[in-house]
């Protein structure tokens, strides 16, 4: 389900110690990456379509040199800001967890309304 907005909690952003130790440029790159991950399927994975975003594609999309982006990715990774999947795709732990909670909440609401197959309407 596509959402035109992204959950953003300034207190969490400013309180994330991993983000606090990286450069301002790296934090800006991370925000750009979060925007891409928000539009990805599955949400929270750095994908465009079904393909992992390469360093070169990321550099072009943010208007930076590939060397700058690669250095910032190392900085973000070394600080523990993101994880990688088994096949190397960059992941946002927070966005994946938020998406899981949202899906569980939607499912619970539909079940409560009796709209899940095999469930009757509550009496």
């Amino acid at each position: 389900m596509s959402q035109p907005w992204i959950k953003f909690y300034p207190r969490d952003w400013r309180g994330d110690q991993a983000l606090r130790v990286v450069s301002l440029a790296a934090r800006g790159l991370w925000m750009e990456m979060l925007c891409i991950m928000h539009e990805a399927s599955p949400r929270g994975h750095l994908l465009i379509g079904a393909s992992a975003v390469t360093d070169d594609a990321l550099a072009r999309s943010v208007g930076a040199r590939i060397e700058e982006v690669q250095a910032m990715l190392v900085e973000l990774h070394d600080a523990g800001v993101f994880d990688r999947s088994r096949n190397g795709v960059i992941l946002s732990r927070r966005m994946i967890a938020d998406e899981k909670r949202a899906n569980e909440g939607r499912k619970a609401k539909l079940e409560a309304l009796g709209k899940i197959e095999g469930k009757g309407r509550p009496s």
Side-chain angles (χ1 to χ4, degrees), residues 18-123:
L19 277 173
R20 301 306 306 156
V21 300
V22 300
S23 66
L24 180 59
R27 288 195 300 272
L29 177 63
W30 180 239
M31 182 54 76
E32 291 282 348
M33 293 165 67
L34 289 173
C35 291
I36 294 168
M37 288 186 265
H38 172 74
E39 295 173 353
S41 181
R43 188 163 288 140
H45 295 67
L46 192 64
L47 302 169
I48 295 179
S51 301
V53 176
T54 64
D55 294 355
D56 182 57
L58 184 58
R60 282 185 278 118
S61 74
V62 301
R65 292 189 340 262
I66 189 169
E67 299 82 13
E68 292 173 311
V69 167
Q70 288 171 332
M72 287 184 273
L73 287 172
V74 167
E75 188 178 353
L76 290 164
H77 185 264
D78 288 352
V81 173
F82 64 80
D83 288 334
R84 287 191 185 265
S85 69
R86 288 185 185 135
N87 56 352
V89 175
I90 292 175
L91 308 172
S92 166
R93 295 178 298 272
R94 172 69 182 261
M95 194 175 289
I96 291 169
D98 285 350
E99 183 71 5
K100 181 179 178 187
R101 278 192 297 279
N103 288 337
E104 289 169 353
R106 272 191 288 284
K107 183 179 177 189
K109 185 67 172 178
L110 290 172
E111 285 175 355
L113 294 172
K115 294 186 178 183
I116 297 288
E117 191 174 307
K119 298 278 184 176
R121 190 168 177 93
S123 17

